[in-house]
Amino acid sequence: MRKFDAIIIGTGQAGPPLATSLAGKGQKVAIIEKSDLGGTCVNTGCTPTKAYVASARRAFVARNSEEHGIYIEGDVQIDLKKIKARKDKLVSESHQGLEKMLQGEKNISLIRGKATFLDDHSIEVNGENFFAEKIFINVGGRPRVPEEFKTVDYLTNRTMLELEEIPEELVIVGGGYVSLEFAQMFSRFGSKVTILERGDQLMKKEDDDIAEAVTEIIKNSGIKVLLNSNCIKAEKESGRIAVIYNCEEGSKKIMTSHLLLAVGRVPNTDDLGLEKTGVELDESGFIKVNDGLQTSVSHIWALGDCNREGAFTHTAYNDFQIVNSQLFEERKRKLSDRHLCYAAYIDPPLARVGLNEKQIRKKGIKAKVAEMPMSQIARAKEKGETFGKLKIFIDAETDKILGATFLGTGADEFIHTVLDQLYAGASYQVIRDAVHIHPTVSELIPTMLENLKDPVENRT
Ligand SMILES: Cc1cc2nc3c(=O)[nH]c(=O)nc-3n(C[C@H](O)[C@H](O)[C@H](O)COP(=O)(O)OP(=O)(O)OC[C@H]3O[C@@H](n4cnc5c(N)ncnc54)[C@H](O)[C@@H]3O)c2cc1C
Ligand SMILES: NC(=O)c1ccc[n+]([C@@H]2O[C@H](COP(=O)([O-])OP(=O)(O)OC[C@H]3O[C@@H](n4cnc5c(N)ncnc54)[C@H](O)[C@@H]3O)[C@@H](O)[C@H]2O)c1
């Protein structure tokens, strides 16, 4: 039995910084990884998809700049092998950096293999047993694959990023982040894309007006969107894939060369041996944690996607910050201090922080709203990118900011104007009275806050 002060399972977004911190304090750490170093974000998530989104945008701009007086004679050529090679280089640089960081620290042992719990303190990897006083689970998740698709050669976010030829046709099941990002990029690469979503809107958590605007963006990208599609399944047919749907209204069928499943993710907790520990899971297999990310066994913590408290890289990294502060810092950070925030990297991007209109109504909060269409913003007009809108919600009783949804060019960056004030607990008047730089989209945020509209609940 090899003994350590701490064992970390997984090298995603929380494990490596935690390993470095523990090791820096003189603790002996084993960090275990069964697959590629860096986890989902680095290998099959954020880094590769945002690299592809950037290539897809270049193609779009090259094809659509005549209005700006710029045009290309002939057709724009897309080389997916080169796009992939650029992505592979970015991923490989990340691996190398991470490997160097972990191998370069004498108190860290990097163990390659699959970890399974033997009991509350011990873990087995490749037939060898490891013991530690403290254990940190950072095992992430994987794409959900419903039974109805298991007999065909479906793609996931991982295999999509291994393709070297652009699919002629691409049917995507699901209408969330993974779907929309891949749909727009592959449509821009030249695939004929169809999205089948079982719900009545894309991006199901967003306000209706925002979801409608997102759908318009997606449709304007030449993508077919089929909402309210029920009982979707796939079968092999004549060397192609038949996607069958709408059994209730009389079944329909789409034939396709490629099928991407983007129907959510499941946590990697089912084969971790957790039944041999006192660690409790919820009904979907996510690990239950308290405000300091301890599981039901106090010396075992769960960080990142496997605890259902966030499903993003920034939330996984914040989980590291919370645990680190709970262990070592005077100022104890907590899960409940975190405000929800994210961006979907469609073009233009959708960015969110805090509450939206749907959530405000549900909570029964008295709120005011400031709204502005991107078409009224000088910088957006100058860029020729006027699609989208900005919404900020203010608590009518305290004047504090409740949240914002921004859809428009650069929204993933300028949402932070609101985000930081939300953390500061400031009144909206702080932003209203600030002087912002001209010409930016941000300069209209103070202006829109001069015109707060009716309480949200009174609007139709
Ligand atoms: C296509 C796609 C695009 C995304 N884009 C964004 C984005 O733009 N912005 C954003 O914020 N988020 C994005 N995300 C989400 C983001 O990737 C995840 O939230 C983040 O990677 C979660 O990090 P994590 O540390 O919890 O887990 P992971 O990064 O998944 O790491 C878990 C690690 O644990 C390892 N592991 C699992 N089980 C074991 C075991 N038993 N033994 C040993 N090792 C094990 C895995 O191999 C993996 O390396 C995207 C996700 C996808 C799928
Ligand atoms: N930009 C980003 O930050 C980013 C990008 C990609 C992924 N992610 C992360 O990855 C996670 C997973 O993304 P995702 O898009 O797979 O999941 P999601 O939960 O965002 O969307 C899944 C969609 O699939 C639909 N669906 C589920 N089962 C279905 C079925 N059988 N038939 C038809 N539709 C079905 C759901 O109604 C939902 O709209 C996200 O929660 C997010 O945290 C983040």
Side-chain angles (χ1 to χ4, degrees):
M1 176 89 78
R2 287 173 69 183
K3 291 199 171 160
F4 289 86
D5 295 310
I7 293 174
I8 299 171
I9 310 174
T11 62
Q13 295 303 308
L18 185 61
T20 311
S21 174
L22 290 162
K25 292 173 180 66
Q27 304 204 7
K28 295 258 172 253
V29 182
I31 183 162
I32 305 163
E33 176 54 63
K34 68 174 180 182
S35 181
D36 294 328
L37 291 182
T40 308
C41 182
V42 167
N43 296 289
T44 60
C46 337
T47 304
T49 55
K50 270 76 249 182
Y52 275 38
V53 162
S55 290
R57 173 147 173 90
R58 298 267 176 143
F60 172 79
V61 171
R63 286 195 192 108
N64 293 280
S65 297
E66 277 195 34
E67 220 178 281
H68 290 61
I70 312 289
Y71 57 93
I72 291 166
E73 296 226 3
D75 219 7
V76 171
Q77 306 297 310
I78 312 283
D79 183 347
L80 190 55
K81 285 196 182 73
K82 197 158 176 182
I83 292 169
K84 180 176 175 296
R86 175 174 175 272
K87 174 269 289 185
D88 288 342
K89 184 164 175 284
L90 288 170
V91 171
S92 151
E93 283 165 3
S94 253
H95 281 158
Q96 285 164 17
L98 194 52
E99 184 144 24
K100 202 167 154 204
M101 181 180 106
L102 295 173
Q103 302 280 24
E105 171 54 70
K106 68 175 172 28
N107 284 336
I108 299 179
S109 301
L110 173 62
I111 318 282
R112 307 305 293 257
K114 181 168 176 289
T116 38
F117 277 87
L118 297 172
D119 58 46
D120 281 342
H121 276 288
S122 351
I123 272 161
E124 185 263 326
V125 187
N126 303 329
E128 197 177 0
N129 294 352
F130 295 78
F131 172 94
E133 291 297 340
K134 295 189 278 293
I135 300 180
F136 303 91
I137 307 174
N138 177 217
V139 292
R142 59 181 189 275
R144 189 167 76 81
V145 179
E147 280 305 316
E148 303 79 56
F149 302 96
K150 285 191 175 159
T151 59
V152 301
D153 288 332
Y154 58 82
L155 293 158
T156 63
N157 59 293
R158 185 178 62 75
T159 45
M160 277 300 288
L161 296 160
E162 286 165 5
L163 295 177
E164 297 206 327
E165 302 293 334
I166 296 160
E168 201 176 311
E169 302 135 329
L170 177 63
V171 171
I172 307 180
V173 183
Y177 306 76
V178 172
S179 165
L180 302 192
E181 291 183 0
F182 276 111
Q184 196 183 44
M185 72 175 87
F186 272 84
S187 173
R188 288 178 168 186
F189 292 159
S191 300
K192 187 176 157 228
V193 181
T194 306
I195 295 174
L196 284 172
E197 162 61 47
R198 68 179 172 192
D200 58 6
Q201 68 171 55
L202 298 178
M203 299 295 289
K204 62 183 172 188
K205 292 188 192 132
E206 305 308 330
D207 288 342
D208 297 354
D209 56 339
I210 297 294
E212 274 165 30
V214 166
T215 307
E216 205 179 328
I217 291 168
I218 292 299
K219 285 185 173 168
N220 287 346
S221 300
I223 297 159
K224 195 166 175 187
V225 178
L226 300 169
L227 300 173
N228 301 306
S229 303
N230 54 56
C231 39
I232 309 168
K233 60 179 184 176
E235 291 169 2
K236 284 184 197 157
E237 195 176 310
S238 319
R240 285 163 55 78
I241 301 171
V243 182
I244 299 148
Y245 63 104
N246 281 5
C247 57
E248 287 165 14
E249 298 83 7
S251 133
K252 293 193 174 150
K253 180 162 85 174
I254 309 176
M255 296 301 295
T256 183
S257 57
H258 293 73
L259 169 69
L260 167 63
L261 297 183
V263 290
R265 294 175 67 78
V266 291
N268 290 324
T269 54
D270 47 342
D271 55 355
L272 203 51
L274 285 171
E275 63 286 354
K276 295 183 187 148
T277 71
V279 173
E280 283 176 23
L281 304 177
D282 72 11
E283 66 292 349
S284 306
F286 290 90
I287 300 172
K288 290 187 189 173
V289 288
N290 65 15
D291 214 17
L293 298 173
Q294 279 168 308
T295 67
S296 42
V297 178
S298 62
H299 65 266
I300 303 180
W301 287 258
L303 304 88
D305 283 10
C306 67
N307 67 20
R308 203 179 220 170
E309 296 295 342
F312 301 99
T313 285
H314 43 275
T315 49
Y317 186 77
N318 181 234
D319 284 0
F320 146 68
Q321 295 171 313
I322 291 168
V323 170
N324 197 53
S325 78
Q326 291 284 334
L327 291 175
F328 302 118
E329 291 168 11
E330 215 169 290
R331 178 184 60 125
K332 305 290 178 207
R333 300 182 71 163
K334 300 187 304 289
L335 197 52
S336 51
D337 295 335
R338 184 155 83 202
H339 293 283
L340 171 92
C341 63
Y342 55 78
Y345 292 88
I346 51 171
D347 180 20
L350 167 71
R352 269 283 306 277
V353 57
L355 303 178
N356 67 1
E357 196 157 339
K358 257 186 195 172
Q359 291 166 316
I360 289 168
R361 279 175 199 267
K362 203 166 167 199
K363 285 176 183 274
I365 301 171
K366 279 198 184 315
K368 296 180 268 187
V369 64
E371 279 183 295
M372 182 163 287
M374 290 293 288
S375 57
Q376 280 180 18
I377 297 177
R379 185 62 192 278
K381 288 189 215 172
E382 288 147 13
K383 284 179 158 187
E385 297 180 33
T386 52
F387 198 87
K389 70 190 290 189
L390 312 180
K391 290 168 89 178
I392 307 178
F393 302 100
I394 312 296
D395 189 311
E397 279 162 10
T398 65
D399 279 351
K400 287 193 178 179
I401 297 161
L402 292 167
T405 303
F406 292 168
L407 175 68
T409 178
D412 52 324
E413 296 289 351
F414 64 75
I415 191 87
H416 291 89
T417 299
V418 179
L419 195 154
D420 290 338
Q421 295 302 332
L422 194 61
Y423 271 94
S427 150
Y428 80 92
Q429 292 145 351
V430 173
I431 309 184
R432 185 198 61 192
D433 297 343
V435 178
H436 285 190
I437 296 164
H438 175 77
T440 58
V441 175
S442 306
E443 78 177 311
L444 269 298
I445 297 176
T447 313
M448 62 191 274
L449 288 168
E450 298 274 0
N451 295 302
L452 297 184
K453 283 210 235 159
D454 282 350
V456 170
E457 66 267 26
N458 290 355
R459 295 203 292 157
T460 50

